[in-house]
């Protein structure tokens, strides 16, 4: 992974997990979220005939299904330069408008951080 020196270790961890999910599953995006207790949820893009979900929305859904009450941070590894409004809305629904969303390139370089709001 390309180092992003100013990234906190906890944030570096979710970027690494998201990158691993993308590579392992051969999907367009990988994502990870960290809940209020520090637990992480990792997912890749879901592309079935009957169900299509981005990696970030899948990770949020996994957190909700596991009982998370809030999110501390989210990360998505993608070719895109930003997280979609739909992805940020899912993060906002669970974590609130100030929840940081890190967007990283496939090599792990964080392109930017935005709030879910």
């Amino acid at each position: 992974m390309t180092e992003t020196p100013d990234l906190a270790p906890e944030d570096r961890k979710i970027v690494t997990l998201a990158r691993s999910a993308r590579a392992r599953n051969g999907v367009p995006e990988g994502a990870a979220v960290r809940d209020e207790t520090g637990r992480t949820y990792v997912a890749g893009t879901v592309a079935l005939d009957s169900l299509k979900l981005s990696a970030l929305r899948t990770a949020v859904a996994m957190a909700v299904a596991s009982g998370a009450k809030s999110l501390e941070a989210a990360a998505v590894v993608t070719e895109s330069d930003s997280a979609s409004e739909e992805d940020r809305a899912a993060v906002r629904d669970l974590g609130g408008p100030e929840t940081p969303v890190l967007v990283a390139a496939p090599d792990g370089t964080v392109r930017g951080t935005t709030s879910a709001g």
Side-chain angles (χ1 to χ4, degrees):
M1 176 170 143
T2 302
E3 288 297 314
T4 306
D6 56 342
L7 204 57
E10 298 84 9
D11 292 340
R12 185 173 291 117
K13 176 183 173 183
I14 61 173
V15 170
T16 300
L17 290 169
R19 185 172 181 232
S20 296
R22 181 180 183 271
R24 180 180 56 252
N25 298 324
V27 291
E29 293 182 340
V33 298
R34 184 176 61 249
D35 75 9
E36 76 282 0
T37 68
R39 289 181 298 178
T40 56
Y41 306 88
V42 182
T45 308
V46 174
L48 301 173
D49 290 340
S50 63
L51 180 64
K52 303 212 184 306
L53 290 172
S54 71
L56 195 49
R57 282 179 269 172
T58 303
V60 170
M62 291 172 65
V64 170
S66 296
K69 304 292 184 222
S70 184
L71 294 179
E72 290 182 348
V76 61
V77 173
T78 179
E79 294 283 350
S80 179
D81 290 332
S82 63
S84 72
E85 172 54 35
E86 294 86 359
D87 284 353
R88 289 186 295 111
V91 172
R92 183 173 57 243
D93 284 348
L94 186 57
E98 299 304 316
T99 306
V101 179
L102 294 88
V103 179
D107 70 355
T109 303
V110 176
R111 290 188 182 123
T113 302
T114 187
S115 70

